[in-house]
Amino acid sequence: MIRFLLLFSRQGKLRLQKWFTAISEREKKKIIRDMTTMVLARQPRTCNFLHWKDLKIIYKRYASLYFCLAIENQENELIALEVIHRYVELLDKYFGNVCELDIIFNFEKAYFILDEFLIGGEIQETSKQIVNRAIEASDMLQEGDSSEWFEVELFG
Amino acid sequence: MPAVSKGDGMRGLAVFISDIRNCKSKEAEVKRINKELANIRSKFKGDKALDGYSKKKYVCKLLFIFLLGHDIDFGHMEAVNLLSSNKYTEKQIGYLFISVLVNSNSDLIRLINNGIKNDLTSRNPTFMNLALHCIANVGSREMAEAFASQIPSILVAGDTMDSVKQSAALCLLRLNRTSPDLVPMGEWTARVVHLLNDQHLGVVTAAASLITTLAQKSPEDFKTSISLAVARLSRIVTSASIDLQDYTYYFVAAPWLSVKLLRLLQCYTPPEDAALRSRLTECLETILNKAQEPPKSKKVQHSNAKNAVLFEAIALIIHHDSEPTLLVRACNQLGQFLQHRETNLRYLALESMCTLASSEFSHEAVKTHIDTVINALKTERDVSVRQRAVDLLYAMCDRSNAKQIVAEMLSYLENADYSIREEIVLKVAILAEKYAVDYTWYVDTILNLIRMAGDHVSEEVWYRVIQIVINRDEVQGYAAKTVFEALQAPACHENLVKVGGYILGEFGNLIAGDSRSSPLVQFDLLHSKFHLCSVPTRALLLSAYIKFINLFPEVKTTIQEVLRSDSQLRNADVELQQRAIEYLRLSCIASTDILATVLEEMPPFPERESSILAKLKRKKGPGILPDIDDTRWNGNGNVEHSESGSAHPFTDLLNLNSAPSAGASLLVDVLSDSFSPASQDVFVCKNNGVIFENQLLQIGLKSEYRQNLGRIYVFFGNKTSTQFLSFSSSVSVEALTLRSPQLNIHAKAVDPTVEGGAQLQQILNIECVSDFTDAPVLDIQFRSVSECVLCSPRVLVQLCLHVLFLSSWRYVTLLSLSPQQEVQTIFKAKHPMDTDVTNAKILGFGVALLDGVDPNPANFVGSGVIHTKSTQVGCLLRLEPNAQAEMYRLTLRTSRESVSQRLCDLLSDQF
């Protein structure tokens, strides 16, 4: 299972945090600090995996953003790396050439997309098309303002 | 501000975020935030009712502020209100706020649950999904209480939309993890398993996660999932990449689902049904074959997804640990990855090989890669890869390569990262001790460790070397000589001074014959370090000095002079001052006899589990470190199993000894499984060691013998963190009751509770009446409570007492024995034919080696006496190695034929 996902910039600024287990705010802050220092200190072209306490940390940099995933010990590192990539693809598809600013200004969207993709630390849907369709559908819902639309959209 | 703002943008939010980003300092940011908080508070408190849009915007701003790391103490109510909005976008923000800022404020929880309940029953899939996501995100006990009974029916209802099923499956998974007691199994479980057959691969993926977690907890209930999972997996691996449409990821068919299914299968032993088993083997072979095919894409995503499946397949192969061909193929595949240009693959190959090294089928195959791994240690640029290489070397180490591996680790240590030095030191210390054939090598290794990485050598390590030197008289002279030489270095680490002080104080006399290390030279050498050392070391040196006074009367005056000096007698440190005064007085007033008694050589330390190993375990946590002490059970993959869930160790133990009331012969058969080969070695050639170990319990023995009397200390170590209750341990000699007893055993009663992490000692007094062949059995019963699992495992351990008594051949006499009582056997060498090792083994067996008796110098001849109450049995043995044929001929002559036969049987397994 995935324990948490963090997105932070090269300067160590946190852009997104998703916790899949109950953790106190104090503990969260400590983990965030540990992760940013640990990952940012890594040399380029080293491997994408680290051991941290009893977890495996999988991280990857996309442009200015680091995506950092903590998984349990028996989980598969490579597939976790592709979880990150799939999430990036989903963001990219939604925002069109996603950049850090998109995630800053539309942070709630980044969370919504993540919720369609991962639930409870497990992958819910691996098909890019299906996730995208779900997100587009909810955007359509946002634009409508009456309550009859969904009858048509979803049951039609 | 970027142009992108899809859906309905909240302009006010974007402006606020922009403002925050433009803040030049932390103070400015805090100021802007406080202004905004005040604004929102007044809006919420204002008389005018806010419309949905404004409420949503302000709640979203609060969320942003919270995510920046500031505290939020209001707005929860407004967020909850949003849940009941019938506008999707407002509802969505409300749920997001609650998911992020969960607060178990009971009033609110009731309101939140109410909102969720409405959405769950709305039959609108989008709303249902939002509600399910929220339950999964929060996962609190209150939510589990409210919804755990409802979700299974949503999951298995025929008319539920696929996306809702997926959410429901994972939601249930989360609740099962946080409050398993609230998610009872029911008739839905069988239907959940059938979701593995679902048309929709997304549903199958989510269901596979759920089933895996449930199956880990109650494997029996989900056994039917094995065949479904194999069938599904088989369809995926044989499908053309386009068949699965969007579930194909960079030309790899459903990699996530494949990994999940392979994980699910790791909850079980290999399928018993032959057809199913061969179908699974085919799948695994196909996956291994695909690894050899040229890549379908140059993208790293393609190779990652493909290799993710491959590594999971290898994990399953290792878990099953039953198909030698697959294991060796897996090992070869990993061997290829060891040299791959992708750092990630090299890292993972090293990591997987660590687990492969503990399988008896592949241990040898892993060992063939030793040079590559050593090379990785030297050339990898990434410290985390090097660390995996260290782990693997540690895991693949055995008697045959210990010297090489320890040497390589030592040379790596000199340049290793500071962060991992201590761990390497511990590993080297453990391997050196575990595989030490001659203890001179052990002493050299530890002294090297101290020389190279003194600061990282923890107390445990140098305590241990002293314990070992004290307990093994054959190494004491060598140790004294070696530390003496090491101390000659102009700058040596304080830990070396400690070891040196202790060892010379005890055994300096063994090298004092040489004028280059005469008593005075030894003393001067130690004392030259004195002033550079810390207080504890100086205190230790003072004790070494008083020991010198006893060992070497000729340096008494010199040492008394030193003790008498002001820097000692008036030392500001109380401890040092006291020692100096007391030692000085003692040396002045005590007679030689009294001195000799007071300052007698240290008695042997009680044998116990190496404290170094305990330290390494603490450091790394049990899951990460491949535990070299685990008995290599085969067949069921027990070792692997027990790591995956708390319930397994118990069932394993029970299975292992499922027939405690059966006849004695069966008992012995069942138990011999639980013996590691190493533990038998221990008792033929040593008096102490660990005889049984699993995840719960460790049993160690230490024994002493005098003539026909023996005393055995049995140590029971509770390895768990919880108590053992109703603990009892008794010894029975069932097979022996037909005749008059050959052994009288008296076991002292033990305390019925063993605290977590504690050790319990039981003393067995044994009298050997006459020679015997069948070993007594130690019967241990206890209950252990751990995470709601209650059961009473029963461990039965065969005590190798017959072996132990042989060690009482301490008194050597030569007897002339007639050839009629001779027993001879020829057997194949089971270990490398090393003269020193063989010598050590024969000595350890308890007999005296007779040099120059046999005309052939390659042969070993030994003699000894076995003491029993009724008689004494003299023994002669001859071992003739034939190096070319790798065979031995062993001849035993004793005054009793049954004894000859028994000894012959025992010894023929040792060489």
Side-chain angles (χ1 to χ4, degrees):
Chain A
M1 135 185 222
I2 300 169
R3 294 284 191 85
F4 57 82
L5 168 69
L6 302 178
L7 267 63
F8 48 84
S9 68
R10 267 195 295 172
Q11 292 74 38
K13 282 247 183 204
L14 191 67
R15 296 305 181 202
L16 183 138
Q17 46 176 319
K18 182 77 182 174
W19 309 89
F20 294 104
T21 50
I23 301 178
S24 71
E25 290 303 321
R26 246 186 78 195
E27 184 69 7
K28 284 182 190 171
K29 287 197 172 130
K30 202 180 158 299
I31 294 176
I32 292 167
R33 206 174 46 235
D34 279 5
M35 288 303 121
T36 45
T37 36
M38 205 166 79
V39 170
L40 292 174
R42 298 276 292 165
Q43 300 291 320
R45 293 171 53 78
T46 47
C47 80
N48 298 83
F49 317 127
L50 292 168
H51 275 278
W52 180 77
K53 299 197 174 163
D54 58 342
L55 298 178
K56 289 172 177 170
I57 306 301
I58 316 299
Y59 72 93
K60 188 159 182 181
R61 192 179 135 184
Y62 287 86
S64 60
L65 266 190
Y66 281 92
F67 288 69
C68 170
L69 203 62
I71 56 175
E72 286 175 355
N73 214 344
Q74 68 280 9
E75 298 275 328
N76 191 309
E77 290 98 336
L78 285 174
I79 208 78
L81 205 51
E82 295 316 296
V83 166
I84 293 178
H85 187 74
R86 182 45 39 116
Y87 183 47
V88 173
E89 285 183 351
L90 291 169
L91 292 171
D92 200 55
K93 174 88 181 144
Y94 182 78
F95 291 108
N97 234 337
V98 67
C99 67
E100 194 182 340
L101 282 179
D102 292 325
I103 295 171
I104 297 172
F105 279 94
N106 300 285
F107 70 96
E108 79 283 10
K109 296 284 184 221
Y111 281 98
F112 296 151
I113 294 171
L114 191 59
D115 268 347
E116 293 295 332
F117 177 48
L118 302 174
I119 299 184
E122 300 286 349
I123 198 153
Q124 179 192 203
E125 181 51 79
T126 62
S127 156
K128 193 157 72 172
Q129 279 174 19
I130 294 182
V131 176
N132 278 326
R133 241 183 274 141
I135 294 162
E136 277 163 24
S138 67
D139 269 350
M140 299 285 285
L141 296 188
Q142 297 196 5
E143 275 148 23
D145 57 355
S146 71
S147 49
E148 294 92 70
W149 37 260
F150 60 75
E151 304 285 342
V152 186
E153 282 291 329
L154 292 156
F155 297 118
Chain B
M1 204 194 332
V4 177
S5 185
K6 290 186 88 171
D8 65 331
M10 287 174 275
R11 210 183 126 65
L13 177 66
V15 170
F16 174 59
I17 295 175
S18 229
D19 282 358
I20 296 288
R21 282 177 54 76
N22 290 334
C23 288
K24 294 277 180 290
S25 66
K26 196 81 195 158
E27 290 75 32
E29 185 184 306
V30 171
K31 210 173 147 199
R32 177 69 185 87
I33 284 169
N34 285 338
K35 187 179 152 208
E36 193 64 37
L37 285 175
N39 172 39
I40 298 171
R41 209 185 297 256
S42 74
K43 284 284 181 348
F44 282 168
K45 278 191 180 155
D47 305 330
K48 208 172 60 165
L50 286 173
D51 61 4
Y53 170 80
S54 311
K55 218 184 272 177
K56 176 183 84 173
K57 185 178 73 185
Y58 293 131
V59 166
C60 211
K61 278 184 183 173
L62 287 178
L63 188 57
F64 181 79
I65 294 170
F66 178 78
L67 288 171
L68 275 182
H70 301 269
D71 286 340
I72 295 294
D73 54 4
F74 70 101
H76 302 77
M77 199 59 202
E78 284 74 13
V80 175
N81 284 341
L82 286 176
L83 297 188
S84 52
S85 164
N86 55 6
K87 283 205 174 129
Y88 178 78
T89 145
E90 289 164 19
K91 204 185 263 293
Q92 201 182 18
I93 295 288
Y95 273 122
L96 180 59
F97 184 92
I98 289 160
S99 303
V100 175
L101 274 107
V102 57
N103 190 328
S104 40
N105 180 326
S106 61
D107 298 345
L108 274 179
I109 280 290
R110 233 178 326 121
L111 287 171
I112 293 168
N113 281 356
N114 211 23
I116 292 175
K117 199 169 156 200
N118 287 337
D119 285 331
L120 272 188
T121 48
S122 69
R123 304 192 55 77
N124 172 338
T126 323
F127 288 4
M128 285 171 90
N129 270 337
L130 277 182
L132 289 167
H133 292 179
C134 181
I135 301 173
N137 280 328
V138 177
S140 69
R141 205 164 166 84
E142 291 87 349
M143 285 196 178
E145 276 163 0
F147 304 110
S149 55
Q150 206 177 337
I151 297 169
S153 44
I154 297 177
L155 176 58
V156 297
D159 58 348
T160 308
M161 301 262 301
D162 289 332
S163 67
V164 178
K165 271 189 200 164
Q166 286 163 268
S167 305
L170 296 179
C171 188
L172 200 56
L173 169 57
R174 174 70 201 268
L175 294 185
N176 181 274
R177 279 190 185 131
T178 48
S179 323
D181 53 313
L182 296 176
V183 187
M185 300 294 151
E187 50 128 11
W188 59 274
T189 42
R191 298 174 66 183
V192 163
V193 172
H194 281 278
L195 289 178
L196 290 177
N197 265 338
D198 203 282
Q199 299 254 308
H200 190 285
L201 284 190
V203 173
V204 184
T205 309
S209 296
L210 174 64
I211 295 166
T212 303
T213 306
L214 296 176
Q216 277 165 356
K217 291 181 181 166
S218 42
E220 277 306 311
D221 292 337
F222 292 89
K223 253 193 149 144
T224 46
S225 63
I226 302 176
S227 59
L228 295 178
V230 172
R232 193 95 225 189
L233 184 66
S234 163
R235 267 180 283 157
I236 295 171
V237 296
T238 52
S239 68
S241 56
I242 43 164
D243 289 357
L244 302 171
Q245 291 154 356
D246 205 34
Y247 289 93
T248 298
Y249 179 84
Y250 292 87
F251 302 100
V252 182
W256 278 281
L257 180 54
S258 307
V259 168
K260 289 274 173 215
L261 293 171
L262 288 162
R263 285 269 298 141
L264 170 57
L265 292 169
Q266 285 170 60
C267 300
Y268 294 97
T269 51
E272 277 145 29
D273 176 61
L276 193 60
R277 192 174 173 144
S278 74
R279 195 163 180 201
L280 177 57
T281 306
E282 253 170 55
C283 286
L284 295 171
E285 277 169 352
T286 312
I287 294 170
L288 284 169
N289 291 342
K290 279 189 182 170
Q292 299 301 329
E293 289 171 11
K296 295 198 176 89
S297 155
K298 280 189 179 146
K299 288 246 163 72
V300 67
Q301 282 75 25
H302 170 70
S303 78
N304 280 353
K306 186 167 146 183
N307 292 326
V309 177
L310 176 63
F311 273 104
E312 206 59 50
I314 290 175
L316 180 62
I317 292 169
I318 297 172
H319 170 77
H320 282 170
D321 198 13
S322 61
E323 300 267 359
T325 34
L326 284 178
L327 280 162
V328 170
R329 278 193 71 183
C331 186
N332 293 339
Q333 182 61 53
L334 294 177
Q336 284 182 22
F337 283 153
L338 284 182
Q339 320 227 30
H340 203 279
R341 60 189 171 77
E342 275 270 331
T343 315
N344 285 346
L345 290 179
R346 295 197 302 273
Y347 175 98
L348 293 174
L350 289 166
E351 193 180 57
S352 288
M353 267 207 186
C354 260
T355 43
L356 209 49
S358 57
S359 161
E360 64 168 337
F361 297 119
S362 50
H363 183 76
E364 289 303 315
V366 170
K367 274 167 61 186
T368 58
H369 298 288
I370 185 167
D371 293 333
T372 319
V373 182
I374 287 170
N375 196 38
L377 197 60
K378 289 177 178 158
T379 56
E380 282 290 347
R381 288 173 31 199
D382 186 346
V383 57
S384 46
V385 183
R386 291 198 299 270
Q387 199 164 356
R388 294 289 85 74
V390 172
D391 285 350
L392 178 54
L393 284 178
Y394 181 73
M396 67 161 69
C397 192
D398 63 17
R399 229 166 265 288
S400 70
N401 55 22
K403 282 198 177 174
Q404 186 189 7
I405 285 178
V406 166
E408 293 294 345
M409 281 193 177
L410 273 176
S411 73
Y412 172 59
L413 186 60
E414 276 184 298
N415 307 311
D417 286 56
Y418 285 97
S419 56
I420 59 171
R421 278 195 183 189
E422 187 181 354
E423 194 188 312
I424 297 176
V425 167
L426 292 174
K427 286 186 165 153
V428 169
I430 291 166
L431 293 178
E433 180 184 338
K434 194 170 158 71
Y435 298 116
V437 176
D438 57 306
Y439 280 92
T440 56
W441 173 70
Y442 171 76
V443 169
D444 285 342
T445 306
I446 300 294
L447 289 181
N448 265 334
L449 268 186
I450 296 174
R451 190 172 53 73
M452 282 194 263
D455 287 339
H456 302 272
V457 173
S458 55
E459 284 182 339
E460 284 87 347
V461 174
W462 76 262
Y463 286 177
R464 189 72 186 161
V465 68
I466 285 176
Q467 280 173 14
I468 285 177
V469 171
I470 300 272
N471 287 14
R472 297 201 170 55
D473 31 9
E474 69 271 22
V475 75
Q476 289 160 356
Y478 181 79
K481 182 166 161 281
T482 318
V483 288
F484 177 78
E485 280 161 9
L487 283 170
Q488 311 273 343
C492 50
H493 195 273
E494 192 163 330
N495 280 336
L496 182 66
V497 180
K498 289 177 181 163
V499 175
Y502 201 110
I503 288 181
L504 291 181
E506 294 293 327
F507 309 115
N509 55 328
L510 299 178
I511 54 168
D514 190 327
S515 61
R516 285 165 299 178
S517 53
S518 70
L520 194 60
V521 176
Q522 285 185 42
F523 173 73
D524 285 342
L525 181 61
L526 279 182
H527 199 55
S528 68
K529 315 285 179 193
F530 188 90
H531 302 281
L532 303 168
C533 293
S534 65
V535 170
T537 309
R538 289 187 193 192
L540 188 151
L541 286 178
L542 288 180
S543 298
Y545 296 169
I546 186 73
K547 289 242 167 185
F548 269 14
I549 291 185
N550 174 43
L551 290 180
F552 316 119
E554 62 267 42
V555 294
K556 183 172 174 177
T557 46
T558 319
I559 293 175
Q560 280 176 332
E561 221 32 63
V562 169
L563 291 176
R564 202 173 283 128
S565 72
D566 274 0
S567 62
Q568 306 297 351
L569 280 190
R570 298 188 180 185
N571 196 296
D573 186 87
V574 182
E575 176 67 31
L576 291 181
Q577 193 187 71
Q578 190 179 357
R579 284 195 192 209
I581 293 171
E582 288 178 3
Y583 290 160
L584 183 60
R585 282 309 289 161
L586 181 66
S587 71
C588 294
I589 58 173
S591 70
T592 342
D593 284 352
I594 292 175
L595 263 188
T597 315
V598 173
L599 302 171
E600 204 184 359
E601 197 178 292
M602 290 294 282
F605 287 89
E607 283 297 324
R608 53 186 163 225
E609 186 200 8
S610 163
S611 49
I612 310 175
L613 198 58
K615 177 160 178 143
L616 187 65
K617 282 178 184 162
R618 273 204 306 281
K619 224 174 133 56
K620 293 281 282 194
I624 297 166
L625 185 74
D627 191 342
I628 54 169
D629 267 12
D630 269 333
T631 315
R632 287 193 185 124
W633 293 330
N634 53 354
N636 298 331
N638 285 341
V639 174
E640 187 74 12
H641 235 153
S642 53
E643 282 175 0
S644 57
S646 59
H648 287 104
F650 299 93
T651 46
D652 282 343
L653 260 182
L654 286 170
N655 290 342
L656 193 63
N657 305 303
S658 53
S661 57
S665 61
L666 176 62
L667 209 61
V668 174
D669 282 352
V670 173
L671 289 167
S672 48
D673 277 355
S674 66
F675 264 86
S676 67
S679 68
Q680 285 181 345
D681 274 350
V682 167
F683 296 101
V684 176
C685 299
K686 276 203 282 182
N687 284 352
N688 40 46
V690 173
I691 54 167
F692 175 87
E693 177 152 20
N694 66 12
Q695 280 70 27
L696 293 176
L697 179 68
Q698 184 193 52
I699 306 176
L701 281 193
K702 172 176 161 34
S703 45
E704 301 168 354
Y705 298 91
R706 179 170 302 166
Q707 305 285 358
N708 65 320
L709 300 177
R711 176 173 290 172
I712 299 184
Y713 301 88
V714 190
F715 299 92
F716 304 99
N718 178 350
K719 292 170 72 181
T720 68
S721 55
T722 50
Q723 279 185 337
F724 288 164
L725 300 168
S726 315
F727 189 92
S728 73
S729 153
S730 59
V731 182
S732 54
V733 262
E734 291 169 63
L736 310 173
T737 47
L738 293 175
R739 292 189 281 146
S740 59
Q742 295 147 317
L743 282 177
N744 287 324
I745 302 181
H746 177 253
K748 297 209 169 143
V750 291
D751 199 344
T753 41
V754 188
E755 296 296 330
Q759 204 178 49
L760 184 74
Q761 180 189 327
Q762 184 178 34
I763 299 176
L764 309 178
N765 286 316
I766 300 173
E767 183 184 31
C768 181
V769 179
S770 62
D771 63 288
F772 60 99
T773 49
D774 295 290
V777 173
L778 185 66
D779 179 349
I780 301 144
Q781 291 191 49
F782 60 91
R783 287 188 301 134
S784 167
V785 189
S786 175
E787 300 193 15
C788 314
V789 184
L790 184 72
C791 57
S792 319
R794 187 178 160 124
V795 184
L796 295 145
V797 177
Q798 188 184 12
L799 279 181
C800 291
L801 278 188
H802 45 252
V803 178
L804 295 175
F805 262 92
L806 292 174
S807 309
S808 59
W809 287 353
R810 296 297 185 207
Y811 310 96
V812 180
T813 44
L814 263 173
L815 297 167
S816 58
L817 298 160
S818 68
Q820 281 83 41
Q821 287 126 345
E822 180 177 293
V823 174
Q824 194 170 67
T825 180
I826 294 173
F827 57 91
K828 193 140 184 70
K830 295 172 186 70
H831 302 281
M833 297 177 81
D834 182 322
T835 311
D836 291 341
V837 180
T838 311
N839 254 326
K841 277 185 183 165
I842 295 179
L843 282 173
F845 192 58
V847 296
L849 268 177
L850 308 174
D851 281 337
V853 174
D854 198 290
N856 181 349
N859 292 350
F860 304 89
V861 177
S863 71
V865 176
I866 298 182
H867 297 271
T868 70
K869 191 181 177 190
S870 50
T871 69
Q872 297 195 347
V873 183
C875 314
L876 278 176
L877 77 84
R878 175 156 66 183
L879 183 68
E880 296 159 276
N882 179 340
Q884 272 165 343
E886 296 189 347
M887 304 285 275
Y888 285 105
R889 181 165 70 183
L890 176 68
T891 315
L892 256 303
R893 243 186 233 188
T894 74
S895 43
R896 252 170 214 247
E897 203 183 326
S898 60
V899 175
S900 304
Q901 190 57 54
R902 186 69 197 132
L903 295 186
C904 193
D905 293 347
L906 283 173
L907 276 176
S908 58
D909 286 332
Q910 295 305 315
F911 301 102

